[in-house]
Amino acid sequence: MIVDVQRLLDALEVHYKRRGDRLWARCPNPDHDDPVPSWMVWDDPGSRRHGRHRCYGCGLRGGPVELVMAARGVDAQAALEMLRTGDLEVSFLSAEVELVKHGFGRSPVVVPEGVRFAPLDEWPGAPRNYARERCLSAESVDRWSIGYAVDGDLAGRVVIPALDAQGDLVGYAARDFLGRRRKMMTPPKTGMQVPMGMHLWPSTESKPEPLVVVEGPFDGIAVDADVHTPVLVLQGSNPDDSVLALAASPRFSCVVLLTDPDKAGDRVAEQFGGIARWSRVMRVRDPEGRDPAKLHEDGALKRLLVKELRL
Ligand SMILES: [Zn+2]
């Protein structure tokens, strides 16, 4: 399916701001009174998620058909007709019917009200200082669609969405920046186990690359920024079988475990031992025994991975 996303948004009078390969706008769903841009669409021709959209606030998501349905208040058939007959003057080729059949409707995971997904230089002092402390760059904030909340259920937290390979929201991690005891919050129903980083994985046809497995989103973001290799972020130290199967995919040349030098890290390493039959699995440790989180601060992580993998 190829759609000219910008022309589609222009035709629907959705005013957007580009941030990398995503266009952000106020939610086009008329039932959602969206005070800040909570809605985004991928403009990434050539990728599987091109033309897919989602709202972090109300859960609206899907492809161009669902977008036209929501924005114009029409049913799927009418939306298809508008796209096909050029009523909306966008190019839209094949596979439309499938899109409707698999219509995504609404995601069960939404981000609570009050979270703002803005470029880093627009963040207020407290969350911005915390972002600096965790070595988040403006580029990382865009690549990972990171937000912050100063009010609502996640007030005082930096919010890192967990997106799947299609760019759909499947969970989030909300990290406290006010020094409170409950450091991490996740959506009530999905628990801690949803992995992150998959939306940045290269397509299945590209040359196999090493997959780096880390615990916790900030380590994953640091690895991604440092070495530009696919990252699998575990939340918690109990990856389930589907996560292990993803890591064992032939699209990865090997699996590098960059887990913490502690009991939880050992447990993760043990579980990944189960896929060693299919994939080369190795655990990389800092010779000085530091946490992966500390390694990127002085470039040690990059040196370590370059040394081990010639990345
Ligand atoms: Zn919405």
Side-chain angles (χ1 to χ4, degrees):
M1 185 264 305
I2 302 162
V3 62
D4 185 331
V5 173
Q6 292 191 57
R7 281 186 74 177
L8 177 56
L9 297 194
D10 289 343
L12 294 171
E13 290 170 352
V14 172
H15 303 290
Y16 58 86
K17 242 188 186 172
R18 175 177 293 279
R19 290 171 61 196
D21 49 15
R22 275 152 268 194
L23 309 178
W24 286 80
R26 289 185 178 182
C27 184
N29 169 14
D31 297 332
H32 178 194
D33 182 16
D34 184 18
V36 291
S38 311
W39 179 89
M40 52 140 278
V41 57
W42 296 91
D43 187 13
D44 188 11
S47 84
R48 277 178 300 171
R49 57 186 175 233
H50 177 67
R52 304 282 284 267
H53 66 91
R54 78 125 37 241
C55 175
Y56 288 92
C58 71
L60 176 78
R61 63 172 176 167
V65 174
E66 288 84 358
L67 171 57
V68 175
M69 286 167 69
R72 287 284 165 90
V74 295
D75 65 13
Q77 202 54 45
L80 254 177
E81 279 308 301
M82 292 168 92
L83 286 160
R84 242 196 224 130
T85 57
D87 242 18
L88 290 165
E89 293 180 0
V90 289
S91 58
F92 186 75
L93 310 171
S94 70
E96 311 97 314
V97 179
E98 244 157 287
L99 254 174
V100 173
K101 211 159 59 193
H102 298 134
F104 293 104
R106 259 151 235 267
S107 152
V109 179
V110 293
V111 169
E113 256 176 58
V115 179
R116 281 156 199 259
F117 297 97
L120 183 61
D121 61 7
E122 291 171 20
W123 290 23
R128 186 147 50 143
N129 289 341
Y130 182 75
R132 199 171 297 142
E133 214 174 278
R134 300 305 298 256
C135 304
L136 293 183
S137 66
E139 197 200 350
S140 295
V141 166
D142 283 351
R143 264 174 77 75
W144 292 76
S145 300
I146 300 171
Y148 68 91
V150 289
D151 48 38
D153 290 350
L154 299 181
R157 291 173 187 275
V158 166
V159 181
I160 304 149
L163 306 176
D164 67 12
Q166 281 77 40
D168 276 336
L169 185 75
V170 287
Y172 59 77
R175 177 63 167 81
D176 170 72
F177 60 74
L178 299 176
R180 291 168 299 184
R181 274 183 65 194
R182 194 171 174 198
K183 283 187 188 167
M184 215 46 114
M185 278 175 75
T186 52
K189 277 179 194 148
T190 59
M192 290 290 287
Q193 302 299 329
V194 183
M196 296 177 166
M198 291 176 293
H199 67 292
L200 300 172
W201 289 2
S203 67
T204 41
E205 297 89 45
S206 57
K207 194 171 131 272
E209 289 179 89
L211 175 72
V212 179
V213 179
V214 298
E215 296 168 275
F218 291 100
D219 284 5
I221 293 163
V223 170
D224 172 57
D226 262 14
V227 292
H228 298 293
T229 193
V231 177
L232 175 64
V233 174
L234 302 177
Q235 297 197 75
S237 53
N238 245 328
D240 65 20
D241 289 350
S242 63
V243 173
L244 295 173
L246 277 174
S249 152
R251 70 164 86 172
F252 302 117
S253 56
C254 62
V255 177
V256 182
L257 302 177
L258 198 71
T259 46
D260 295 346
D262 57 17
K263 267 197 183 148
D266 293 347
R267 195 157 57 237
V268 170
E270 203 176 292
Q271 306 213 26
F272 274 86
I275 60 167
R277 240 188 297 169
W278 298 279
S279 303
R280 194 157 68 99
V281 179
M282 64 186 101
R283 188 168 181 191
V284 173
R285 291 172 209 251
D286 175 40
E288 290 162 45
R290 286 172 296 179
D291 260 25
K294 298 270 176 263
L295 289 179
H296 61 86
E297 283 167 13
D298 61 355
L301 172 66
K302 194 166 185 169
R303 286 196 299 277
L304 197 67
L305 289 174
V306 167
K307 189 170 142 250
E308 297 278 338
L309 300 167
R310 294 174 205 96
L311 279 177

